[in-house]
Amino acid sequence: MSEILLDIPDQIASERLIIRSPMPGDGLALHACVAATLEQLRAWPASLPWAASEPSVDASETCCRQSRIDYLARKGLPMLPFLKDSGRFAGACGLHGIDWKHKQAELGYWRHRELQGLGLITEAAQAICSFAQSQLGLRRIACLPDALNLEGILRNERIAPGGSLRGSALYALAN
């Protein structure tokens, strides 16, 4: 069966979060979160090269609309976590580079700077990975954070936009 025929819900829930596909109109919330967190996002240029550009509401809205198209086309499953109790936008988390044939994807994530240390993105990542394995049948979900972000296990050298060499750590969940 083609992946386009998969019935994938627009949202999943965890204990504290509604994690859903980006929708038209989400650009304002995305922009506000990126603008508030830009300094922290720019610390990881090899992992988040888009953060080097100045954010705008139009660029954020374009990103949300393109992400929705990619979600519907099953090219990737970008998702936005919102707090259940307040509806506050918490960051971004999703599956990228999905290889449906080999049943694998890469997990990406970042969070609002004001929500650091609350475990919200960990909760979102766990919910997405659990969903991907149990409902989508993915067998391998890799995460490639910048090696300077946490202690690296396997190095994957990348060149940042400024030309500096950066590494990534590889973490994978397989079943």
Side-chain angles (χ1 to χ4, degrees):
M1 172 171 51
S2 171
E3 60 271 5
I4 200 74
L5 297 175
L6 291 173
D7 288 326
I8 300 176
D10 284 334
Q11 73 178 34
I12 58 176
S14 64
E15 181 181 342
R16 300 177 290 171
L17 299 167
I18 297 295
I19 308 156
R20 66 169 175 77
S21 167
M23 301 296 266
D26 284 337
L28 194 59
L30 176 62
H31 175 262
C33 188
V34 168
T37 311
L38 197 55
E39 183 179 342
Q40 290 80 9
L41 297 173
R42 286 183 174 164
W44 318 115
S47 299
L48 303 170
W50 54 266
S53 300
E54 281 303 312
S56 72
V57 174
D58 284 349
S60 296
E61 182 63 25
T62 299
C63 176
C64 288
R65 289 175 186 232
Q66 185 60 57
S67 294
R68 178 67 178 158
I69 291 167
D70 292 347
Y71 194 95
L72 292 171
R74 310 304 188 230
K75 292 180 181 177
L77 298 177
M79 301 186 88
L80 305 177
F82 293 85
L83 297 176
K84 278 183 179 177
D85 63 356
S86 67
R88 183 176 183 188
F89 180 70
C93 189
L95 299 173
H96 311 288
I98 298 176
D99 180 341
W100 293 103
K101 179 180 177 184
H102 296 102
K103 300 191 179 295
Q104 60 189 22
E106 181 179 338
L107 176 72
Y109 56 86
W110 60 272
R111 50 102 192 109
H112 194 296
R113 70 175 174 82
E114 294 175 2
L115 300 175
Q116 181 177 355
L118 301 176
L120 294 168
I121 294 302
T122 298
E123 183 177 321
Q126 288 172 341
I128 290 169
C129 288
S130 177
F131 170 77
Q133 288 182 316
S134 65
Q135 302 298 312
L136 303 178
L138 295 186
R139 293 185 306 225
R140 182 175 187 267
I141 302 167
C143 185
L144 295 161
D146 190 296
L148 298 179
N149 196 352
L150 45 111
E151 292 186 27
I153 293 182
L154 300 176
R155 303 232 5 143
N156 178 20
E157 307 271 321
R158 294 183 183 182
I159 298 176
S164 64
L165 192 61
R166 298 292 286 258
S168 294
L170 170 65
Y171 298 89
L173 178 63
N175 65 351

